[in-house]
Amino acid sequence: MAVEILQQLFNQHQISIITARPLLFRDVTIDWLKHHNVRYHNISLIENKLQECINCQVDVLIDDAPHYAKEFALNNKPIILFEQPYNLAISNDIVYRASNWIEVKKHIDYLESNLIQ
């Protein structure tokens, strides 16, 4: 289901994959994405996700890390947070929780029609 949702999002939005993986994993990451038919417009392997998201003009972050959720919320950027036991303490009006990619898509549709200009 994730690949199908990502394909829909790719057709409607600019998809930037921004990961904190070390650069030495760039080729294996790109190969994995190709193998699973995940399409994207931009990919960055960088430690400072927030700054890269600002540089790429990212409107919404999809992640599971609590520290990125806090950073984004402090910068008034919405985040869709994949729910995990380690991020349950994160609470903010612009943090949207998702358990699967269908929920991610619903949040993006909501944000697109209600919040993002």
Side-chain angles (χ1 to χ4, degrees):
M1 182 54 64
V3 173
E4 292 84 359
I5 299 288
L6 284 166
Q7 182 61 42
Q8 291 174 27
L9 294 172
F10 177 86
N11 291 334
Q12 300 168 350
H13 302 281
Q14 184 81 11
I15 303 294
S16 295
I17 296 175
I18 300 172
T19 176
R21 288 178 170 206
L23 276 175
L24 100 107
F25 294 111
R26 181 177 176 79
D27 290 342
V28 71
T29 301
I30 290 171
D31 289 345
W32 187 93
L33 292 166
K34 282 180 188 173
H35 176 77
H36 293 282
N37 299 314
V38 176
R39 297 175 65 200
Y40 55 91
H41 298 94
N42 179 30
I43 187 167
S44 298
L45 282 77
I46 192 162
E47 185 69 26
N48 188 341
K49 278 190 185 184
L50 177 62
Q51 187 57 53
E52 186 66 10
C53 287
I54 291 168
N55 293 346
C56 292
Q57 300 179 336
V58 169
D59 292 320
V60 178
L61 176 70
I62 303 168
D63 210 304
D64 67 334
H67 60 288
Y68 293 128
K70 287 178 187 175
E71 284 181 3
F72 258 64
L74 287 173
N75 283 276
N76 206 31
K77 291 207 171 266
I79 178 165
I80 300 171
L81 193 62
F82 268 105
E83 196 156 297
Q84 296 293 334
Y86 50 81
N87 68 26
L88 294 176
I90 303 300
S91 177
N92 189 296
D93 289 344
I94 58 175
V95 174
Y96 300 85
R97 294 193 166 273
S99 298
N100 57 57
W101 281 96
I102 293 170
E103 291 177 9
V104 168
K105 176 75 166 80
K106 286 179 184 176
H107 288 311
I108 289 175
D109 292 345
Y110 168 80
L111 290 166
E112 183 177 33
S113 60
N114 293 295
L115 301 179
I116 299 173
Q117 276 39 312

